[in-house]
Amino acid sequence: NAGVMQNPRHLVRRRGQEARLRCSPMKGHSHVYWYRQLPEEGLKFMVYLQKENIIDESGMPKERFSAEFPKEGPSILRIQQVVRGDSAAYFCASSPLQGSSNQPQHFGDGTRLSIL
Amino acid sequence: GESVGLHLPTLSVQEGDNSIINCAYSNSASDYFIWYKQESGKGPQFIIDIRSNMDKRQGQRVTVLLNKTVKHLSLQIAATQPGDSAVYFCAENWGAGGTSYGKLTFGQGTILTVHP
């Protein structure tokens, strides 16, 4: 998982607070993906971004969740007014430019979000 | 809806044996498949991928087989080692040109345990 950096690794929030998760893609990668994983389940797609653009947010809850990937800096997944059901591991992945053949998504080690 | 699933949730093998992990997919439009290994507390680690225009692909100690007729994917690990113990996920993707464009749909996962 070297290359995709996520922080913090662990985040504890109380209900109603905001959570901000950061992801820096691998060098040279301009595509970022966010996934959520509940215990003993597979990863579920949330959102796909390129620099300054949201390409596919079909997996994002309609309320409280937002994501951005600014021209400079990491991608941010923001969860407002967190609830206990938001507790999960959130993974970021990156890939090179669209059109590159045989280039899978590479994942970071995730942020474990716990809601008290 | 269409999804990716796994036949066996757990697999136990002896060190040195060969392991076979299976995956069924239902989306006939899927054109790119990836196997990931996930160790406890870490993100998914890329193992091997295969495009829909191929039936077989080999890596170091691993082979992926794709049977499009029955929509089945398998991962074979030769001479399994204790370090191979992890959860293994298959993932599928469909998009223009069969690249890593767009979201991955993950299966539930198979727990592989290798006994010394």
Side-chain angles (χ1 to χ4, degrees):
Chain A
N1 297 324
V4 178
M5 304 301 295
Q6 290 188 248
N7 67 82
R9 291 296 311 277
H10 301 274
L11 182 61
V12 180
R13 286 287 178 265
R14 296 189 180 278
R15 283 179 294 171
Q17 291 184 321
E18 177 180 289
R20 292 172 70 89
L21 288 61
R22 289 176 291 277
C23 169
S24 296
M26 286 181 69
K27 186 177 181 181
H29 287 191
S30 59
H31 297 237
V32 166
Y33 312 79
W34 285 93
Y35 294 82
R36 178 163 64 178
Q37 185 178 35
L38 296 174
E40 300 186 358
E41 292 190 7
L43 283 71
K44 304 293 185 191
F45 169 81
M46 298 181 74
V47 62
Y48 162 37
L49 309 103
Q50 295 178 24
K51 287 283 188 180
E52 300 183 281
N53 284 304
I54 296 174
I55 306 302
D56 181 353
E57 55 181 347
S58 59
M60 287 275 275
K62 299 300 180 187
E63 298 179 349
R64 303 189 297 109
F65 285 72
S66 62
E68 62 177 5
F69 189 16
K71 185 177 180 180
E72 300 291 337
S75 175
I76 305 290
L77 178 67
R78 181 184 180 201
I79 311 173
Q80 296 178 288
Q81 299 175 336
V82 296
V83 301
R84 289 211 172 123
D86 296 333
S87 296
Y90 292 83
F91 290 96
C92 171
S94 71
S95 66
L97 289 171
Q98 177 185 345
S100 300
S101 61
N102 295 329
Q103 295 293 327
Q105 296 175 24
H106 293 271
F107 285 81
D109 281 338
T111 294
R112 272 77 183 165
L113 176 64
S114 298
I115 308 303
L116 302 179
Chain B
E2 300 191 47
S3 63
V4 177
L6 294 171
H7 294 302
L8 300 175
T10 61
L11 178 63
S12 293
V13 300
Q14 290 296 128
E15 180 178 4
D17 288 350
N18 296 332
S19 301
I20 300 176
I21 300 172
N22 296 302
C23 175
Y25 67 94
S26 57
N27 187 350
S28 57
S30 293
D31 55 9
Y32 181 58
F33 304 88
I34 310 174
W35 281 101
Y36 285 97
K37 171 187 179 182
Q38 187 176 28
E39 297 174 288
S40 180
K42 295 193 174 183
Q45 177 185 357
F46 170 80
I47 300 173
I48 193 167
D49 58 0
I50 188 167
R51 290 187 165 195
S52 59
N53 61 355
M54 302 172 68
D55 297 322
K56 179 179 180 179
R57 192 166 189 221
Q58 289 184 292
Q60 188 175 13
R61 284 201 306 118
V62 295
T63 301
V64 55
L65 298 177
L66 176 62
N67 185 331
K68 295 180 287 295
T69 301
V70 295
K71 298 177 187 172
H72 185 266
L73 192 70
S74 68
L75 176 70
Q76 300 178 3
I77 306 174
T80 316
Q81 303 167 0
D84 294 327
S85 295
V87 180
Y88 289 80
F89 294 97
C90 64
E92 65 176 322
N93 172 256
W94 57 94
T99 69
S100 62
Y101 171 84
K103 64 184 180 184
L104 292 175
T105 299
F106 281 79
Q108 189 173 7
T110 292
I111 301 171
L112 176 64
T113 303
V114 183
H115 301 282

